[in-house]
Amino acid sequence: MSNKSMWNAFRDGQKYMTEWPVRKELAPMFPENRVIRATQFAIKVMPAVAVISVLMQMAFNNYSGLPQAMIMALFALSLPLQGMWWLGKRRETQLPPALAGWYRELHEKIVSEGGALQPMKSRPRYKELAQTLNRAFKQLDKTSLERWF
């Protein structure tokens, strides 16, 4: 994997965290809710864990434990990156046939009720599903959504 594609995956992961509708109705069907929450938590907490693990060794003059603490710090710092990388790859993944059909039905329902959406994709990805789900939760009433959730 080239560096450019790796950085694109991180950037796409950050976008996907804002695009995906984190809703309780979607939690049983998609891992995105859990991955987004875990990644957001890791972004907030893991830098502090990394710093504390190294500083604790230094504070107690335990320089022999410093290499292990630095490895633990690097691992802690990698956790948010792992989440963003997974989300970035997921965002660009094509939907399986069953989900693609569901995306098309939902897209048609929104358009039939006067909603504005990008044209329907013939080979939709998870990012198009996220955009369509966001529009559905904003535009469709609860009774219309019950059919899908």
Side-chain angles (χ1 to χ4, degrees), residues 9 44 89:
K44 291 177 187 170
K89 290 297 183 184

Side-chain angles (χ1 to χ4, degrees), residues 70-88:
M70 292 187 76
I71 289 175
M72 188 172 117
L74 288 173
F75 176 73
L77 292 173
S78 77
L79 290 176
L81 294 174
Q82 291 175 46
M84 284 190 286
W85 182 82
W86 186 89
L87 289 164

Side-chain angles (χ1 to χ4, degrees), residues 4-23:
K4 186 175 180 180
S5 66
M6 183 173 67
W7 292 119
N8 286 343
F10 292 143
R11 188 193 67 229
D12 288 346
Q14 287 178 311
K15 283 183 196 172
Y16 196 49
M17 284 197 316
T18 60
E19 290 172 341
W20 186 261
V22 180
R23 305 270 308 221

Side-chain angles (χ1 to χ4, degrees), residues 13-78:
Q14 287 178 311
K15 283 183 196 172
Y16 196 49
M17 284 197 316
T18 60
E19 290 172 341
W20 186 261
V22 180
R23 305 270 308 221
K24 65 180 179 182
E25 300 94 328
L26 299 175
M29 296 180 276
F30 299 99
E32 275 81 350
N33 289 10
R34 293 182 302 279
V35 175
I36 289 170
R37 286 195 177 112
T39 302
Q40 289 170 336
F41 177 78
I43 288 169
K44 291 177 187 170
V45 174
M46 288 303 142
V49 169
V51 170
I52 289 169
S53 69
V54 173
L55 289 179
M56 289 296 287
Q57 297 300 317
M58 295 172 76
F60 293 114
N61 289 326
N62 185 8
Y63 292 101
S64 64
L66 197 55
Q68 292 90 343
M70 292 187 76
I71 289 175
M72 188 172 117
L74 288 173
F75 176 73
L77 292 173
S78 77

